[in-house]
Amino acid sequence: MSDTAFHRRQAEMLPSRPAPAGQTGAVGWMRANLFSSPFNILLTLISLFLLWSIIPPAFDWAFFDAEFVGTSRDDCVGGAGACWAWIDQRIDQFVYGFYPAESRWRVNLAVLLLIPALAWVLIEKAPGARYGRWFALFYPVIATLLLVGGLGLEEVTTDKFGGFMLNLVAGLAGIVLSLPIGILLALGRRSKLPVVRVVSVTFIEVIRGVPLITLLFVAIVILNLFLPQNVSLDQLARVMIMVTLFASAYIAEVIRGGLQAIPAGQYEAAQAMGLGYWKMMRLIILPQALKISIPGIVNTFIGLFKDTTLVIIIGLFDILGQARLLQTNPEWIGEVDHETYVLASVFFFVICFSMSRYSIGLEKRLDTSGR
Amino acid sequence: MRVQRIWTDERARGVILQLLLILALLLVLAFIVSNTVANLQRAGLASGYGFLGSTASFDINQRLIQYDSTSTYGRAFVVGGLNTILVACLGILAATIIGFVAGVMRLSRNFFISRIVGAYVEFTRNVPLLIQIIFWWVVILALPKVRDGISFGDTLFLNNRGVRLPAPIIEDGAGIILVALALGIAITWQIARRARKRQDETGQIFPVVRTGFALIIGLPLVTYFLAGSPIDFDIPVAGKFNLKGGFNITPELVALWVALSTYTGAFIAEVVRAGILSVGKGQTEASGALGLRPGLTMRKIILPQALRVIIPPLTSQYLNLTKNSSLAVAIGYQDIVSIGDTIMNQSGQALEVISIYMLFYLTISVLTSLFMNWYNARIALVER
């Protein structure tokens, strides 16, 4: 009776109704993400309080109360905010150190050329990759020529290198030179020859077991003892050798991880094709292993790049050294203690953050596990 | 013809290659040693570790054991090593807490919390640690002078000379409190064992955590009052120019501690996050279906599985923190590197000092990796 009537009435589909107002749109989002439980409400309130107590004062300090124009500390004394007036005069010193002003275009050009070189290495389907790879291979030579001079360019000694440029040079040189050494060490660690294996493992573990600063001390204090009397290495070169050795141990471990991820079938198939050890590695194993190691290599580079700031401890004037110089400069003393460090942090943050985003993106692209 | 046959034999080739490698290494070693000996002779430097016995004649204001300027270089090294271990332990403790809290909070469904923690993690990870250490140091040195320093309830003082805390004065009979503490821990351990056994057999749950806390904190506290308060506290008092009494934590230690623990904490947060994400969603859902509350799900289901992923990278973060504590030399916290640097400048024994550095850090890292291997073998997934 009424039962059948009920069914008949339901035979036709009702049009779907919109979700309750409290579950969609801004209100719904807020209910789900901010006020879903008493604890969540508490968290939201605490975070709002945190944001309110950090962000406005920080902006006031950095922008609204800050002093942007001026020629010396007198223009900043007594101001409530930051003193950015020094940037206008001193940014060149901050970036290039004592590199001669008329030659700074060479540094700029070297950095500019780095972009296509990197693009050809990192982007698989870049146009003209065939010739581009050769360009990338010779980039270190070109960059060294540009920076140090030679072939008609005026020579600039490495003690003139400084500021952010020194961090870039030390970091890039470290990573470029350490890659081949790291590959050899990783292969050595997985070698069947016991002596090769023991030597590689010892080197890797000793370097990874000590802080970089002790290696830099070695570079400055001891390396000269190891060399004949008449040979004396440039200070920057000594630092670069140590940074390279340091990075190569870490790169070796990253690449070892890549090598371990290659299934044994690949080795067996290569051997079945009659390839020798080096051909097998060069044509079959390394191309695959290096590809999956790129995120790890980028992460190592980020670490190495940040570690280049340690050169200040052994007396080179990198970006932190320049910051210190500026803080003790009579023209600015007492006014730029925080500002110089903040600017240096921004420099590093921009570069390291973009590299880590790249490596995360790459990891996602290479992740074939399907999760 | 014969030569070619040897070269095509894989085993013979391996032996030859290894012999060549050994020969090359020996040549390099001989080259280095002969140069070093010649250079040292020319500089008139004596080599060897005899200098460790001579008087150091410099002061160390941050020390855990008795030391003054008449002590030996060897003792100065011990003081420095202990200082490194001190800041490493403090840092590991704080970084672990920060890292786990931040790692869990970054996965929070609360929009603001996850974003704030995300910003903290990204910012700290991508700025060089050295800048952060120096920055915190500058911040602490810029705190108000002692006269107008910040005080918390007149017992804890914060000013540009560091942090001053009440110092415990241990009187006779204080040993019994330690005994009570040990007793509390032992009883808690027993209870935990019994409770686990009972739960396995009958399913009844015993509130181990709460009982344990009550025992471990309560027993020593009760003993303290029963024994007639044998530990007195020397509370700092504001004097005319400086605080009197209590004990002081230097600005260097505070800056280093804060910087190391926030920096490593950010890395640990990422490790923890990855560990938690590595546990499949089905585990959470299954545990919910069994009726476990979210807190219990986290503790009993997610964390035990996540820890297996978390522990190896966590240990390497601990090791990194210990190695990074060597940056102390930049702000003058007297760790082993900083003290060794002073000794190097005074005595000129660079080779020996640096070998001591390396031995120190290598020992720590070998011990850590031994522990790691043992732990990994213990928690390895038992495949059935």
Side-chain angles (χ1 to χ4, degrees):
Chain A
M1 0 163 269
S2 67
D3 222 335
T4 47
F6 176 74
H7 276 293
R8 197 173 308 134
R9 224 183 298 146
Q10 285 295 304
E12 271 176 35
M13 278 288 230
L14 285 173
S16 59
R17 282 155 60 187
Q23 285 176 20
T24 55
V27 177
W29 180 86
M30 268 161 52
R31 270 201 187 165
N33 290 305
L34 301 180
F35 305 109
S36 60
S37 66
F39 181 62
N40 216 344
I41 294 174
L42 185 73
L43 282 183
T44 305
L45 291 180
I46 293 176
S47 14
L48 281 179
F49 174 74
L50 258 179
L51 288 178
W52 177 73
S53 56
I54 291 174
I55 291 183
F59 269 75
D60 279 347
W61 180 81
F63 301 111
F64 302 125
D65 294 342
E67 193 60 61
F68 287 92
V69 282
T71 50
S72 75
R73 67 187 296 275
D74 302 332
D75 296 305
C76 292
V77 171
C83 176
W84 299 116
W86 58 277
I87 291 182
D88 191 36
Q89 294 181 358
R90 301 285 177 161
I91 190 69
D92 283 347
Q93 186 193 335
F94 214 64
V95 176
Y96 302 103
F98 313 114
Y99 207 84
E102 66 278 2
S103 299
R104 280 177 189 156
W105 62 269
R106 282 155 54 179
V107 182
N108 296 341
L109 186 62
V111 172
L112 217 64
L113 286 178
L114 176 67
I115 297 167
L118 272 183
W120 271 314
V121 173
L122 297 179
I123 302 172
E124 262 176 83
K125 291 187 181 108
R130 207 182 148 73
Y131 306 102
R133 300 259 153 87
W134 283 105
F135 172 68
L137 198 63
F138 281 105
Y139 172 77
V141 182
I142 302 172
T144 316
L145 259 180
L146 277 172
L147 293 178
V148 183
L151 287 187
L153 287 171
E154 196 190 337
E155 195 185 338
V156 180
T157 49
T158 54
D159 58 321
K160 296 276 194 298
F161 286 27
F164 198 54
M165 168 206 160
L166 180 63
N167 297 104
L168 273 178
V169 169
L172 280 174
I175 211 72
V176 169
L177 297 172
S178 65
L179 205 54
I181 304 178
I183 293 175
L184 286 181
L185 282 171
L187 292 178
R189 190 165 189 167
R190 287 169 60 80
S191 166
K192 268 181 286 182
L193 309 176
V195 175
V196 177
R197 201 168 53 228
V198 167
V199 169
S200 312
V201 170
T202 316
F203 179 86
I204 293 173
E205 291 307 330
V206 167
I207 298 279
R208 276 161 43 93
V210 300
L212 177 59
I213 185 75
T214 60
L215 292 179
L216 291 179
F217 274 129
V218 170
I220 290 307
V221 200
I222 296 190
L223 214 55
N224 263 2
L225 282 180
F226 288 171
L227 295 171
Q229 190 193 3
N230 43 9
V231 180
S232 128
L233 272 176
D234 178 275
Q235 200 173 28
L236 186 62
R238 281 188 265 168
V239 168
M240 275 182 183
I241 291 175
M242 281 305 161
V243 166
T244 305
L245 291 182
F246 183 73
S248 62
Y250 284 82
I251 297 258
E253 285 300 277
V254 170
I255 292 176
R256 181 170 75 120
L259 286 174
Q260 279 172 343
I262 307 294
Q266 296 285 326
Y267 291 88
E268 287 157 10
Q271 279 163 350
M273 302 282 288
L275 296 181
Y277 178 81
W278 290 107
K279 268 200 168 158
M280 167 174 84
M281 284 301 166
R282 193 166 57 87
L283 298 173
I284 311 288
I285 307 299
L286 279 179
Q288 304 181 61
L290 286 182
K291 195 172 159 189
I292 39 181
S293 312
I294 293 181
I297 294 175
V298 174
N299 284 340
T300 311
F301 182 54
I302 296 175
L304 179 71
F305 184 50
K306 286 187 294 175
D307 278 347
T308 56
T309 47
L310 302 200
V311 296
I312 188 190
I313 296 175
I314 53 164
L316 293 183
F317 287 96
D318 73 324
I319 193 166
L320 280 190
Q322 300 295 344
R324 284 242 167 131
L325 276 186
L326 219 69
Q327 289 158 11
T328 50
N329 185 322
E331 276 181 44
W332 296 103
I333 193 164
E335 289 298 318
V336 293
D337 288 0
H338 298 81
E339 288 81 345
T340 41
Y341 289 138
V342 168
L343 191 70
S345 311
V346 170
F347 273 59
F348 275 99
F349 180 78
V350 168
I351 292 190
C352 295
F353 185 69
S354 20
M355 281 197 295
S356 79
R357 287 292 108 171
Y358 168 79
S359 117
I360 289 172
L362 203 65
E363 251 169 274
K364 275 193 190 137
R365 216 174 65 209
L366 293 175
D367 182 16
T368 46
S369 67
R371 261 227 301 214
Chain B
M1 197 61 206
R2 261 190 82 79
V3 176
Q4 205 176 7
R5 209 168 335 145
I6 292 178
W7 193 244
T8 43
D9 178 23
E10 202 188 334
R11 194 130 33 97
R13 202 169 48 195
V15 172
I16 296 173
L17 276 177
Q18 297 187 63
L19 284 177
L20 283 177
L21 182 66
I22 295 177
L23 193 70
L25 285 178
L26 284 179
L27 279 179
V28 171
L29 200 69
F31 176 74
I32 288 178
V33 169
S34 72
N35 283 331
T36 313
V37 169
N39 284 328
L40 284 179
Q41 263 174 0
R42 203 169 320 106
L45 281 173
S47 54
Y49 292 89
F51 75 101
L52 288 178
S54 35
T55 310
S57 67
F58 60 86
D59 266 322
I60 301 177
N61 58 20
Q62 162 77 43
R63 54 182 183 254
L64 294 175
I65 53 170
Q66 194 59 46
Y67 173 92
D68 58 51
S69 53
T70 58
S71 305
T72 59
Y73 283 135
R75 199 168 176 84
F77 263 121
V78 176
V79 173
L82 286 175
N83 281 348
T84 295
I85 293 172
L86 169 74
V87 77
C89 289
L90 288 175
I92 284 173
L93 194 72
T96 311
I97 297 171
I98 294 176
F100 271 78
V101 170
V104 172
M105 288 206 318
R106 199 167 181 199
L107 290 171
S108 161
R109 257 180 301 175
N110 188 304
F111 177 82
F112 285 121
I113 283 287
S114 64
R115 292 308 136 97
I116 290 176
V117 174
Y120 151 69
V121 168
E122 288 302 342
F123 186 77
T124 346
R125 270 160 50 98
N126 286 311
V127 169
L129 174 61
L130 188 59
I131 297 187
Q132 298 185 34
I133 291 178
I134 298 179
F135 186 83
W136 284 110
W137 190 47
V138 172
V139 165
I140 289 172
L141 291 187
L143 283 176
K145 289 206 180 68
V146 178
R147 269 236 305 279
D148 358 79
I150 309 154
S151 92
F152 299 93
D154 274 337
T155 47
L156 197 157
F157 293 87
L158 191 64
N159 53 51
N160 67 353
R161 290 191 198 175
V163 177
R164 195 171 278 255
L165 301 169
I169 302 170
I170 293 163
E171 289 159 18
D172 292 345
I176 198 162
I177 295 175
L178 271 184
V179 175
L181 184 68
L183 204 66
I185 293 173
I187 295 176
T188 309
W189 189 59
Q190 273 300 322
I191 289 179
R193 262 183 53 175
R194 293 268 171 83
R196 200 176 314 139
K197 208 169 153 208
R198 196 179 69 158
Q199 196 180 348
D200 283 348
E201 281 165 4
T202 64
Q204 285 171 303
I205 301 173
F206 186 80
V208 177
V209 177
R210 257 174 288 167
T211 329
F213 259 114
L215 278 171
I216 292 174
I217 295 173
L219 260 185
L221 214 63
V222 170
T223 330
Y224 172 79
F225 286 115
L226 283 183
S229 317
I231 298 183
D232 219 2
F233 282 96
D234 178 17
I235 295 169
V237 193
K240 204 165 186 185
F241 297 107
N242 201 351
L243 293 163
K244 284 197 186 97
F247 85 111
N248 198 46
I249 308 178
T250 59
E252 289 77 26
L253 177 56
V254 178
L256 195 64
W257 184 29
V258 172
L260 280 176
S261 37
T262 48
Y263 183 78
T264 315
F267 281 88
I268 293 179
E270 286 295 275
V271 167
V272 170
R273 185 173 76 118
I276 292 176
L277 286 179
S278 76
V279 180
K281 213 177 164 190
Q283 298 285 327
T284 319
E285 289 163 357
S287 134
L290 285 172
L292 294 186
R293 276 174 281 111
L296 219 52
T297 305
M298 194 60 159
R299 226 173 62 221
K300 295 269 178 201
I301 311 288
I302 310 285
L303 271 187
Q305 301 185 63
L307 273 184
R308 205 172 277 139
V309 182
I310 290 174
I311 296 285
L314 186 66
T315 339
S316 77
Q317 286 307 328
Y318 288 167
L319 215 51
N320 279 348
L321 187 145
T322 312
K323 286 190 284 174
N324 281 336
S325 72
S326 61
L327 296 188
V329 68
I331 57 170
Y333 172 75
Q334 284 160 315
D335 76 326
I336 191 164
V337 172
S338 165
I339 285 178
D341 194 31
T342 314
I343 295 177
M344 205 153 39
N345 289 334
Q346 276 192 10
S347 68
Q349 307 279 1
L351 216 63
E352 290 79 3
V353 169
I354 288 177
S355 69
I356 291 175
Y357 287 167
M358 297 205 161
L359 206 66
F360 176 75
Y361 285 107
L362 280 179
T363 313
I364 293 182
S365 80
V366 166
L367 286 180
T368 315
S369 56
L370 283 181
F371 167 78
M372 266 295 303
N373 291 343
W374 170 79
Y375 187 85
N376 264 343
R378 223 183 88 106
I379 64 161
L381 203 59
V382 184
E383 304 257 5
R384 272 183 256 260

